[in-house]
Amino acid sequence: MSARFEFDNTYARELEGFYVPSQAAVVPQPKLLSLNRGLAEELCLDPDVLGSDRGVAVFAGNESPAGASPLAQAYAGHQFGGFVPRLGDGRALLLGEVIDRNGKRRDIQLKGSGRTPFSRGGDGKATVGPVLREFLVSEAMHTLGIPTTRALAAVSTGEQVLREGLLPGAVLTRVAASHLRVGTFQFFAARGETDKVKQLADYSIARHYPELGDADNPYLGFLAAVRDAQAALIAGWMHVGFVHGVMNTDNMTISGETIDYGPCAFIDTYEPEAVFSSIDRGGRYAYGQQPLIARWNLGRLAETLLPLIDADEARAIQLAGDAVNDFVDHYLAYWLDGMRAKLGLAVSEDEDLELANGFLAALEGQNADYTLAFRRLSDAARGDDAPLRALLSDASAYDLWADRWRKRLSHESASGEARAQAMDRVNPIYIPRNHKVEEALTVAAGSQLLDPFETLLEVLENPFDEKEGLEAYSSPAPASFGRYRTFCGT
Ligand code: AMP
Ligand code: MG
């Protein structure tokens, strides 16, 4: 374990012209809100050193750690469908890269560390609520088994930040496989800088998909690899009922990790139209839209790669178009694999897609909690339908479906108990429920009390093991919580 970051900064070294060097703002009174000790160890860092005053000064941006090359990355992006040629890190700084104990390269980034040349009219700051929300939800996604950026530390700054009122300032230290986005490619493609797009693609391949290095057409292979990573990612979101809320192309990673937990939320009842973000008025990023949007975003990446895929433009369009269209099949395959496990099926049969859709159809409009419905399905696998039926306002569609499901289960040899246990390993009992997240953030931002945040974080560390006494964390929001609205928490 090391007392300092052992930086090895390939982005800064190899991609000059793709960023602007920058410095974090100095803040008056840094205070540690949360430190992810497990992740620190994974990064070969000594958590006690990170939690000391020196460590906190680094997380606040007040001290630049030795070997860092702080920079703001350039990127563009389609935001709600409209292209913005220049976005970039307006409130984030990449400190550098470290190699973790598994040999994987990870970015260390400060988010909320002050203005950069990409800040436009913004102040470059972040506030306690959104910082802790990203901390909680990204860590929850990780324990749920979904690829995601991670949270290493959150500090408050002692500063007041002007939003809808004055709010306490904070900085998040984020860890990612990289911060390369679809929008990074768009930035250079939109300027007609094909050589730069090629340089970026070569860098991305070497960093994330090195097996493509000597493929016949590495750039087409790259597009397909990103497609598969994103298809798997979105399937994971759909399985747990996650709504990202702002799937702009600048928020879609090349690595296939979930990034930017702004207005995200989890669905309560199963509703494809579910939208939580106050700015998503048209429902572009609704729960059920996410696979389609991911394919659309992939199309935007494909456009940037056309000149690299083939010198003959028509042929490039054909090849890239086929790769993008294949997203649907790949997504469906990942989705169905996961749904089989959620429904207790171990082998695959032709009727499974219909069976999976049938369960969702039986939930729709029945006011049943999505997460609990899957969890109660393991009781049904043990032979007791009552807990699941009790969740549904009208169980008749479920009863019909359950007959088909039991027939299908009879094709497999697992005992009810073994099947139920396998289901409980993929259907979480604890997710970051919107009302619990909100409660934790409100208390933290208001009275600076971190107890609800810490308890929730701890509960979410083991999302699949039901524990006595934690009913408040598995129960749906009380009716008084009302319809959840999130704000693009900047
Ligand atoms: P996001 O909503 O985090 O995906 O950010 C979209 C774009 O807005 C990025 O270019 C951010 O850097 C920029 N941005 C968001 N909030 C701020 C802020 N407070 N100050 C400066 N730039 C910001
Ligand atoms: Mg973003």
Side-chain angles (χ1 to χ4, degrees):
M1 236 164 8
S2 174
R4 50 187 291 272
F5 290 91
E6 305 281 347
F7 285 115
D8 173 42
N9 305 332
T10 61
Y11 199 95
R13 228 167 34 228
E14 298 171 24
L15 292 177
E16 212 175 301
F18 292 72
Y19 60 84
V20 183
S22 190
Q23 292 296 326
V26 172
V27 300
Q29 220 178 67
K31 203 177 124 227
L32 189 65
L33 297 172
S34 195
L35 173 66
N36 191 335
R37 299 180 68 92
L39 180 58
E41 285 169 9
E42 200 177 310
L43 298 172
C44 310
L45 291 164
D46 183 341
D48 292 331
V49 176
L50 294 188
S52 70
D53 288 349
R54 282 297 288 281
V56 174
V58 167
F59 292 136
N62 278 4
E63 220 176 280
S64 185
S69 22
L71 60 88
Q73 294 180 320
Y75 54 83
H78 274 90
Q79 299 196 306
F80 290 89
F83 186 63
V84 184
R86 185 184 159 94
L87 289 166
D89 287 334
R91 55 162 167 170
L93 274 187
L94 177 66
L95 292 183
E97 301 148 38
V98 298
I99 308 294
D100 73 13
R101 68 171 172 219
N102 305 311
K104 285 207 264 177
R105 181 173 295 278
R106 315 277 289 267
D107 273 6
I108 311 291
Q109 193 206 54
L110 300 184
K111 186 170 172 182
S113 50
R115 288 180 54 78
T116 77
F118 297 106
S119 297
R120 296 171 288 166
D123 58 6
K125 304 284 183 178
T127 58
V128 167
V131 161
L132 292 182
R133 170 197 289 275
E134 175 155 344
F135 200 119
L136 263 178
V137 185
S138 64
E139 287 305 303
M141 291 290 266
H142 173 71
T143 57
L144 287 166
I146 297 172
T148 176
T149 63
R150 304 282 307 276
L152 178 60
V155 295
S156 59
T157 59
E159 217 172 34
Q160 296 290 308
V161 175
L162 186 62
R163 291 293 180 267
E164 58 273 24
L166 284 175
L167 297 173
V171 180
L172 178 75
T173 302
R174 178 158 80 178
V175 177
S178 82
H179 285 83
L180 296 161
R181 310 145 193 263
V182 170
T184 321
F185 286 80
Q186 289 181 293
F187 183 89
F188 298 99
R191 295 151 59 117
E193 297 182 309
T194 305
D195 52 334
K196 283 233 166 83
V197 177
K198 179 170 182 304
Q199 200 185 340
L200 197 59
D202 289 337
Y203 177 86
S204 304
I205 290 171
R207 183 156 174 183
H208 294 297
Y209 306 102
E211 66 282 3
L212 296 173
D214 22 63
D216 285 349
N217 191 334
Y219 306 109
L220 185 61
F222 172 62
L223 179 60
V226 175
R227 172 196 66 205
D228 293 355
Q230 292 186 348
L233 176 69
I234 309 299
W237 290 1
M238 299 305 283
H239 291 143
V240 297
F242 176 75
V243 186
H244 182 281
V246 57
M247 284 177 74
N248 295 332
T249 55
D250 50 300
N251 291 337
M252 292 297 286
T253 58
I254 293 306
S255 65
E257 284 183 343
T258 314
I259 197 171
D260 271 6
Y261 293 82
C264 65
F266 282 73
I267 56 170
D268 306 299
T269 57
Y270 174 72
E271 241 179 277
E273 310 75 36
V275 176
F276 299 93
S277 168
S278 56
I279 56 170
D280 189 4
R281 293 200 187 81
R284 179 180 171 90
Y285 299 140
Y287 172 62
Q289 285 288 103
Q290 297 185 121
L292 290 174
I293 289 292
R295 186 181 70 160
W296 190 87
N297 288 345
L298 190 70
R300 307 292 72 76
L301 175 66
E303 284 167 358
T304 72
L305 299 173
L306 289 177
L308 312 182
I309 287 176
D310 205 292
D312 173 353
E313 196 185 7
R315 189 169 153 70
I317 290 174
Q318 179 70 47
L319 291 169
D322 288 348
V324 172
N325 288 334
D326 283 348
F327 178 89
V328 179
D329 287 345
H330 286 265
Y331 165 74
L332 263 183
Y334 286 119
W335 182 78
L336 188 54
D337 267 354
M339 287 303 283
R340 279 197 188 95
K342 287 174 81 68
L343 298 176
L345 305 173
V347 301
S348 79
E349 287 189 15
D350 287 347
E351 65 175 303
D352 294 348
L353 180 59
E354 221 185 299
L355 195 71
N357 282 323
F359 184 62
L360 297 179
L363 295 185
E364 204 168 348
Q366 299 311 321
N367 217 19
D369 185 78
Y370 175 81
T371 304
L372 285 182
F374 277 99
R375 194 72 185 193
R376 299 295 173 246
L377 190 62
S378 41
D379 295 320
R382 289 185 179 96
D384 182 5
D385 283 87
L388 175 46
R389 293 184 88 255
L391 291 178
L392 303 160
S393 6
D394 176 353
S396 53
Y398 167 73
D399 291 338
L400 284 173
W401 177 85
D403 284 342
R404 281 169 53 209
W405 178 57
R406 292 215 156 80
K407 279 200 196 88
R408 172 64 183 80
L409 294 181
S410 70
H411 304 174
E412 299 187 13
S413 58
S415 73
E417 183 52 37
R419 172 172 292 129
Q421 283 183 19
M423 292 167 74
D424 285 349
R425 284 195 293 274
V426 294
N427 292 318
I429 179 74
Y430 307 116
I431 56 161
R433 292 202 171 261
N434 302 325
H435 66 293
K436 296 308 274 182
V437 172
E438 214 49 43
E439 174 190 274
L441 303 191
T442 309
V443 173
S447 55
Q448 307 274 317
L449 263 182
L450 287 164
D451 305 29
F453 168 82
E454 280 160 8
T455 310
L456 183 55
L457 192 63
E458 201 182 308
V459 169
L460 294 170
E461 262 174 40
N462 290 298
F464 301 105
D465 303 332
E466 188 158 11
K467 288 204 192 72
E468 230 165 283
L470 296 184
E471 292 71 23
Y473 295 88
S474 58
S475 308
S480 60
F481 186 64
R483 179 130 195 112
Y484 191 41
R485 276 274 151 268
T486 58
F487 300 90
C488 218
T490 56

